[in-house]
Amino acid sequence: MISFFPIVPLRAQVWLLLLAAGGFGGVGGVCAAEAPEGRGARRSLAQVLAEEAGELSEPEVRRRVVEELARDERSRREEAEARASERGWPLRGKYPDGGGFELAGVEGDEPLYRTTHNAAAGVSSAANQLWAAPYLLTGAGGTVGVWDEGAVRTTHREFGGRVTVRDGTTTVSPHSTHVAGTIGATGVTSLAKGMAPAVRVDSYDWNSDTSEMTSRGASYPGEPGMLYLSNHSYGFTAGWGYTYTVEGSPVWTWNGIGTTAAGYEPDFGMYGTSANGADALAASLPYYLMFRSAGNDRNNNPAAGVLVKIGAATVAYDAASHPPGDGVYKAGGYDTISYEALGKNVLTVGAVYDATDGSARSLALAALTAFSSWGPADDGRIKPDVVANGYSLYSTSSSGDALYANMSGTSMSSPSAAGTAHLLSEYFRTLFTNTALRASTLKGVLVHTADDLGAAGPDYRFGWGLVNAQAAAELLRGYAARAGTRRVVEDRVTASRRTVSVPFAWDGVSPIRATLCWTDPAGAATTTHDLRTARLVNNLDLRVLGPTGTEYRPWVMPYVGNWSTNLLTAAAVTGSNVTDNVEQVLVAAPGVAGTYTARVSYAGTLTGTGQPFSLLLSGVAETSAAGAPSVSASTPSSATGTSLFTVTGDRFLLGADVRLRRAGARDVVGAGVEAQGDTLRARLVTDGMAEGWWHLTVTNPDGQRAILYNAFVVGTPQTQAAAVWAEDFETADIAGRGWTFEAASGTSLWGLSTAKSVSPTRAMFSAGVATVSDTRVLSATVPIPATGSGLQLSFWHDFALESNDGGVLEFSLDGGAWYDAVGSGSGASFTANGYNATIGGATGKPSTQNPLAGRSGWTGASGGFVKVTVALTDTARYAGHSLRVRWRLGTNGSAASAGWTIDDVSLSGMMPPDMTRGTVFGVR
């Protein structure tokens, strides 16, 4: 009978898990270099993904990759089990605390084991705040993947049928069940309530995790049947761990290099094929975030005189003669994280004590546990990323449908963070139903809003701090309410777009915090112990520039570049970060009012066509506004079925709406929208669309819109009615679209108004003053195609003007003199709702007369919105020229008028196909 110590080091857990399943990128089993004669060398996960033509968003590509990985995993397990039979190695075992280990493969000539990371979380992470108004989040409608030691007990009363075992595993695991409960227990017993109490859980054992994760991770928003996040509370054994017994009693087993006091564990901190494979998978599935427990290795310290197994020998432990304990290896436990948890693109979670004082959250109680592993990675990268409650969590037990248990370890803190993250992911999808957060954005939000613990800035013990779900939700809510503030940015840099700048006004009160996070391509895997070369591939850089030119730099760790062990404990400073794919600038006391700029750039060269990134901002004033979007091109121009549209332009914001529109037809609305600053992708179902030309609109969540006219064609129309230009005033920056205001006399009151409109929220409006005035609103300059015909201007207006006040419509061609739109020789005439009277106001002193008195115009009351149409009958006069339109309001010196509202202006005409397809005729 095999028995085990309750708390197993994270490294040991990770080793055990990855070996049993084959792990990422070739760890375990017979390594590629050792492939038996006559068999080809195995490809690592990173190689499989890099050499496969196509993306995992393509079902056939994903199928091929998954099949190869699954074959490799089966082969590794078979080879490892055959070697275990020869050597007498245990295949699996259980720990008294409910966790366990399982043979995953062979590393060199030694067994490699996956192991669980065992050592009231909702309040600690502030997830409980999201269960109440205004959020009302439960996790319903989404699924979290749980890969673990075995199957979750699906019949437990806390799950209510929401847990499904997806891989046919029949062995129920106490550890798996506890992890799933931490994520999603309903709360039948209130102390056991999970972070996301209505979430669905898909349960897998760890034996084929690589291929299964590849098959289930989301590559784009809304991808059917795919996961946005998963939890992995396990790892491989490293350093000291329990995997053997002597005469029925567990003994410490040394998994590292050397047998003396100079022994070391090279896998601690090393960016090997496991971390490399995790990063490659993350880069291929940019909407899938893997949560990894940091491990519990700091607790793995044999006591003097106890029996330990070192190589083939069983000896009494002597610290002076044998390898040091993991917790004393480097400065009291630094550099004790290993394997996948060292990936740049995963979220690695350490463990703290419960930060709960009664029912309230108390950061003072969030002390580090004695077992939670510390970073850094060998290149000095910050690990863990965040911490969460991992001490004595009360949750579901596999021993019965109404039984519960307490467990400790980073195995518990990781699902605490993962369940919290699912609530945030769910919340974002309620705010923006056509998209989802990129994995880098979700990770960045958790880092950005974490409560800093320990010394100021990040460190190698707490990472960026304690997860704070409420602060994260407020960041997302603030962005949804005022997207123009750009608190949450998804953008990219490319070879031709080396710098992206985000200007914003400081709110005058809060610290300014900017966090940059990106899913970096997999770095080169290494087998070298303590290799200091950065594993960063695309070296992005973050700066915040103040109103007076002051440059604020991100946090950096003093250990990087110096590599003195005594600097592992040193507080972060600021400088140029060339190591991490998470950077943060903190301006604790900005002091100077005005416009600040967050600037993202890169050094060196980029791998790939571009590097998407996520940027989070705090301390932003509500008055901050983004520029209007623009569209320059869209593909395809014709298609059937569900098609992936790629749109190029600029200033596309996260949450943008994309659709195809045509007069008299229902809009075709895009789903799975990916907006990245200068490019945008969306999935549109083009079946059943009416024949003819459709234009494509991109509307940012701040209401500003751009249109690519006649971007998509159905059938083969000849001359076709097409929009040339339009303006619906759904923008906060009307001047940026070329509109201007004038006042020949009086003061112009023209401006955007939300009081009434035909378009969703805004229109152009001016009140009629009780004094003499002549004010005008001028459109942007509109180029009219030379081959256009049947040209027509239309707009909606609503006016309530006293009889001595009135308005007229005027044109200017090619920057020339203004003239009445329907006056003699204008070449245009009203076809609907033209002038209704002669404007009065000619009596009295000249100083009180309306400047427009005696002209035909609009006066009196329209009785609501009416549509005006003007036919530009003289095609030769207008086609091939630039038109500008102005609305002119005149008042006299008597009573005031309610005013004049104008909305939804457009110019259209008949265009041949060569002038309409894919051509930009206007932007709104």
Side-chain angles (χ1 to χ4, degrees), residues 145 343 527:
T527 57

Side-chain angles (χ1 to χ4, degrees), residues 42-86:
R42 291 190 176 99
R43 296 193 297 170
S44 70
L45 173 58
Q47 289 172 326
V48 172
L49 294 171
E51 295 169 12
E52 180 65 49
E55 300 180 0
L56 291 184
S57 58
E58 302 172 39
E60 180 58 25
V61 172
R62 194 188 290 243
R63 183 193 64 77
R64 290 197 303 268
V65 170
V66 169
E67 286 184 356
E68 177 173 346
L69 295 174
R71 285 194 304 269
D72 184 60
E73 287 166 334
R74 288 192 298 270
S75 176
R76 291 181 191 279
R77 283 199 303 276
E78 291 168 359
E79 292 162 358
E81 290 171 4
R83 189 82 67 89
S85 178
E86 296 171 1

Side-chain angles (χ1 to χ4, degrees), residues 253-602:
T253 303
W254 174 240
N255 298 285
I257 302 297
T259 61
T260 70
Y264 61 92
E265 173 53 87
D267 291 309
F268 282 146
M270 187 177 73
Y271 190 85
T273 52
S274 294
N276 160 270
D279 283 342
L281 183 60
S284 297
L285 299 171
Y287 287 84
Y288 174 52
L289 181 59
M290 294 166 273
F291 284 71
R292 288 279 178 183
S293 50
N296 310 315
D297 285 71
R298 282 196 311 115
N299 214 41
N300 294 349
N301 305 299
V306 303
L307 290 180
V308 298
K309 189 174 185 299
I310 302 176
T314 301
V315 298
Y317 183 72
D318 178 1
S321 305
H322 299 136
D326 298 343
V328 297
Y329 168 56
K330 279 189 184 176
Y334 286 92
D335 191 14
T336 50
I337 298 177
S338 59
Y339 295 95
E340 287 96 331
L342 292 167
K344 297 175 290 185
N345 301 324
V346 304
L347 189 87
T348 304
V349 187
V352 294
Y353 287 95
D354 188 5
T356 304
D357 185 1
S359 60
R361 192 165 182 263
S362 172
L363 295 181
L365 299 178
L368 276 168
T369 59
F371 50 80
S372 185
S373 291
W374 294 347
D378 283 352
D379 61 354
R381 277 182 295 114
I382 295 163
K383 287 289 176 178
D385 295 296
V386 293
V387 293
N389 181 15
Y391 184 76
S392 193
L393 269 73
Y394 186 69
S395 191
T396 46
S397 169
S398 65
S399 299
D401 289 346
L403 297 181
Y404 302 83
N406 290 88
M407 288 188 180
S408 296
T410 56
S411 276
M412 282 63 252
S413 60
S414 182
S416 173
T420 300
H422 174 74
L423 291 182
L424 298 173
S425 181
E426 173 203 354
Y427 187 44
F428 186 79
R429 292 196 301 276
T430 66
L431 299 173
F432 301 99
T433 58
N434 66 342
T435 189
L437 292 173
R438 297 180 72 89
S440 59
T441 309
L442 181 56
K443 179 179 178 179
V445 166
L446 291 170
V447 165
H448 183 80
T449 58
D451 291 310
D452 193 7
L453 300 176
D459 57 55
Y460 296 138
R461 301 180 305 152
F462 296 100
W464 292 93
L466 179 64
V467 170
N468 187 332
Q470 187 175 22
E474 280 301 296
L475 180 71
L476 299 178
R477 190 160 76 116
Y479 175 71
R482 291 186 177 274
T485 59
R486 304 195 70 182
R487 290 180 174 93
V488 184
V489 175
E490 291 187 355
D491 210 307
R492 67 172 188 161
V493 288
T494 66
S496 60
R497 194 169 188 257
R498 296 186 62 93
T499 300
V500 174
S501 296
V502 180
F504 62 92
W506 176 42
D507 67 11
V509 178
S510 311
I512 291 174
R513 189 186 305 272
T515 302
L516 172 68
C517 182
W518 68 99
T519 299
D520 198 49
T526 182
T527 57
T528 302
H529 175 53
D530 281 352
L531 180 67
R532 302 310 185 190
T533 305
R535 300 294 93 182
L536 199 62
V537 176
N538 288 334
N539 182 18
L540 272 58
D541 190 48
L542 174 65
R543 296 286 190 272
V544 171
L545 306 178
T548 61
T550 304
E551 181 180 85
Y552 300 94
R553 296 187 171 195
W555 295 112
V556 295
M557 303 306 294
Y559 177 67
V560 176
N562 183 291
W563 311 117
S564 297
T565 301
N566 64 311
L567 291 179
L568 287 167
T569 61
V573 295
T574 60
S576 292
N577 191 324
V578 296
T579 304
D580 296 279
N581 63 325
V582 175
E583 296 188 10
Q584 186 179 99
V585 173
L586 174 65
V587 186
V592 180
T595 298
Y596 289 73
T597 300
R599 187 186 68 197
V600 178
S601 59
Y602 70 89

